[in-house]
Amino acid sequence: MRPTHSDQDTIAAIATPLGEGGLAVLRLSGAQALAVADRVFRPRGRTSSLPSRAASHTVHYGHVMRDGEVLDEVLVTVFRAPRSFTREHTVEISCHGGVFLAREVLAAVLGAGARLAEPGEFTRRAFLNGRIDLAQAEAVVDLIHARTGLAASAAQEQLAGALSRQVQVIRQDLLTTLAHVEAHIDFPDEDIAPATHRQLTDRIDAAVGHMDRLLATAGDGRVLRRGVRAAILGRPNAGKSSLLNCLLGHDRAIVSPVPGTTRDTIEETANVRGIPVVFVDTAGLRDASDAIEVEGIRRSRAAAARAEILLHVIDASEPLAELDRQFLEEFANRPRVVVLNKADLGPGVCVPGTIGGAGPVVSVSCATGAGLDGVRQAIHDLVWSGKAGGEMNEVMINARHEDALRRGREAGDRAAGALRAGMSLELVALDLRVALQAVGEIVGATTTDDLLDVVFSEFCLGK
Ligand SMILES: Nc1nc2c(ncn2[C@@H]2O[C@H](COP(=O)(O)OP(=O)(O)OP(=O)(O)O)[C@@H](O)[C@H]2O)c(=O)[nH]1
Ligand SMILES: [Mg+2]
């Protein structure tokens, strides 16, 4: 949401999650942050002082007061502009946790002249004041939402400017080319020398190639941000729920020797070698007569349709059933891991060599835990197989960047085509400007309020 108030206001919010924590941190930012803090804070002890008299990056012990009463015992940290996240005067008040107390301290601060911050408004100010660019602002959200170490480190790279630097290289190539093209438009009598002409098209091609390499990271970015869905399928009693529990490391689904135990789908996320994987346990697939089971089976087929990866669980202690053959064929072209379960019951009737089709086949025992690492490895390999590696690995674009890059790439391609075809330089310049505009949106060099609203609406309060 767009701040309905001015960007000049001094804003405050609780920056820690509301709940029964040991501490809560309240953040205050704006031109009046020190004055507002002065009004609620009474320093205690010789080394503490009022925020307005404090040096930057110092911590002060004292009390938050309201109506002459001590509200809480706190530590106040002072950051003087421009040496803060927002580049404004910033005060952080660490008070005791608990929903009630933190809210009381916030109320005191609001009563002293600050207004409640909108979601993402601190980060929005950091962007507006040139502290970070838009891609870095988005990385703050990614970092907060990261569910695995790998996702967090990718977000950290983006926050540190890895994506922004690549985007700047692309923009620089486009800008230099545009400057050349415009110079020739201004002097229409001079023909572009063949060597210069080649240089210009080469440079646009380089920018387009660079955009392609960034676009290729979109899939990886989606994996790390949203995770992948893996549906666990198979006949009743094959051990699907047991596999889910083993992969999660705790008993989430009910396991029983009665076929048809799981009737609804169960979802839960686990960290598989750095990839957030949403495992979906489903009802066993068979020709059921009971109406609830029929509905359960319909849901498991739907879960399979929505999943990026299928884990087909087969009870290897029994001969391969007709239905398993059917599934093996039906899902042959999907990214799939065939899990031969119950390996502890002996060599098994059904062994890896007998399973036709592509894709990994792993023997496991959910009873003993043997082979589970093989399942994790197979999932990992399916997700990352054939993906761009090397330096690009740390840069993973999101859906907004992807959209901007597609538009930028198209326009860049048109510009190169027009230049090669000897079309009017005005047309070339026009497409270069469109490309620049699109690529600039990624870092916020070219923005609109609407765009900022979309980006910052993802944020929670206090960020
Ligand atoms: N010996 C052995 N038994 C297993 C293994 N995995 C599962 N079981 C047993 O097989 C039975 C069925 O397991 P579940 O995990 O409930 O099977 P399911 O595929 O979820 O079954 P439905 O929900 O009914 O479709 C239970 O009695 C489990 O204890 C295994 O690796 N070895
Ligand atoms: Mg089950």
Side-chain angles (χ1 to χ4, degrees):
M1 213 175 50
R2 185 87 215 286
T4 39
H5 318 273
S6 155
D7 288 333
Q8 310 302 316
D9 293 345
T10 291
I11 53 175
I14 298 167
T16 40
L18 280 182
E20 314 254 311
L23 289 175
V25 177
L26 194 135
R27 212 178 201 184
L28 192 60
S29 179
Q32 297 303 313
L34 303 178
V36 169
D38 275 5
R39 278 177 218 133
V40 299
F41 181 66
R42 185 191 291 164
R44 290 275 150 197
R46 270 187 305 117
T47 55
S48 291
S49 67
L50 278 175
S52 63
R53 295 201 200 122
S56 190
H57 294 72
T58 55
V59 182
H60 305 268
Y61 167 74
H63 291 147
V64 166
M65 310 294 296
R66 196 177 57 186
D67 305 331
E69 304 255 341
V70 174
L71 209 52
D72 196 9
E73 197 181 9
V74 300
L75 284 177
V76 159
T77 314
V78 175
F79 305 85
R80 286 183 174 269
R83 295 177 55 206
S84 72
F85 178 60
T86 56
R87 287 208 167 149
E88 304 171 331
H89 289 318
T90 297
V91 177
E92 285 178 9
I93 304 176
S94 305
C95 58
H96 286 106
V99 179
F100 176 74
L101 201 55
R103 287 225 170 114
E104 287 291 286
V105 174
L106 177 63
V109 168
L110 296 179
R115 81 157 153 85
L116 190 63
E118 311 257 347
E121 200 172 358
F122 291 97
T123 315
R124 188 177 183 125
R125 286 186 177 194
F127 165 69
L128 289 174
N129 294 327
R131 172 80 165 64
I132 53 174
D133 68 31
L134 209 52
Q136 290 174 302
E138 287 173 304
V140 174
V141 186
D142 284 345
L143 201 54
I144 292 165
H145 292 317
R147 281 179 288 180
T148 67
L150 206 58
S153 74
Q156 234 138 18
E157 286 289 331
Q158 187 172 323
L159 185 57
L163 173 61
S164 308
R165 279 191 295 278
Q166 308 236 13
V167 169
Q168 296 307 354
V169 172
I170 297 173
R171 291 188 71 221
Q172 204 49 55
D173 273 341
L174 294 173
L175 266 174
T176 315
T177 319
L178 180 62
H180 268 91
V181 170
E182 280 180 339
H184 281 284
I185 294 175
D186 291 341
F187 300 97
D189 294 340
E190 281 176 42
D191 275 346
I192 303 184
T196 316
H197 195 271
R198 201 167 44 245
Q199 249 177 21
L200 292 181
T201 44
D202 282 355
R203 197 170 273 138
I204 304 177
D205 288 345
V208 169
H210 206 150
M211 287 190 253
D212 278 339
R213 289 200 297 284
L214 282 180
L215 278 167
T217 69
D220 294 354
R222 257 194 299 279
V223 165
L224 287 188
R225 287 189 183 87
R226 294 210 316 247
V228 291
R229 293 176 70 82
I232 306 175
L233 303 171
R235 293 170 58 222
N237 241 7
K240 298 178 297 297
S241 300
S242 304
L243 181 66
L244 173 81
N245 291 343
C246 284
L247 290 168
L248 294 178
H250 64 260
D251 287 343
R252 172 68 179 80
I254 299 172
V255 167
S256 95
V258 183
T261 305
T262 308
R263 299 192 152 197
D264 208 346
T265 49
I266 297 174
E267 285 189 29
E268 195 149 328
T269 307
N271 178 348
V272 177
R273 313 242 156 121
I275 308 161
V277 181
V278 184
F279 288 105
V280 187
D281 182 23
T282 65
L285 292 161
R286 66 168 168 185
D287 295 322
S289 43
D290 162 358
I292 299 180
E293 228 183 291
V294 168
E295 175 57 17
I297 291 165
R298 194 196 62 74
R299 288 190 193 181
S300 32
R301 282 195 181 271
R306 284 184 58 209
E308 278 112 344
I309 291 181
L310 304 180
L311 303 180
H312 179 175
V313 185
I314 295 173
D315 182 343
S317 70
E318 292 180 352
L320 198 62
E322 183 47 38
L323 209 64
D324 279 322
R325 266 185 243 285
Q326 253 180 44
F327 293 161
L328 284 171
E329 211 168 292
E330 182 176 341
F331 300 121
N333 295 323
R334 302 277 306 271
R336 167 185 73 183
V337 183
V338 175
V339 181
L340 300 178
N341 189 27
K342 310 197 187 181
D344 57 293
L345 293 182
V349 186
C350 178
V351 288
T354 62
I355 304 289
V361 180
V362 188
S363 270
V364 309
S365 164
C366 292
T368 65
L372 282 165
D373 261 342
V375 176
R376 294 193 185 94
Q377 187 62 42
I379 294 172
H380 172 276
D381 293 349
L382 278 181
V383 171
W384 291 139
S385 60
K387 295 289 166 62
E391 50 167 328
M392 281 302 198
N393 242 348
E394 299 300 331
V395 177
M396 290 172 204
I397 62 169
N398 68 22
R400 187 183 72 82
H401 308 150
E402 187 178 358
D403 170 63
L405 280 169
R406 283 199 192 292
R407 283 182 282 121
R409 190 205 178 284
E410 246 171 59
D413 230 17
R414 272 199 310 270
L419 196 59
R420 278 204 185 87
M423 285 158 78
S424 124
L425 288 181
E426 264 94 355
L427 276 183
V428 177
L430 186 77
D431 279 326
L432 285 174
R433 273 193 222 101
V434 172
L436 263 169
Q437 161 82 29
V439 175
E441 282 176 20
I442 297 171
V443 288
T446 47
T447 56
T448 59
D449 277 343
D450 287 349
L451 176 63
L452 293 188
D453 290 348
V454 169
V455 171
F456 288 103
S457 65
E458 301 275 311
F459 281 69
C460 32
L461 216 62
K463 298 294 173 330

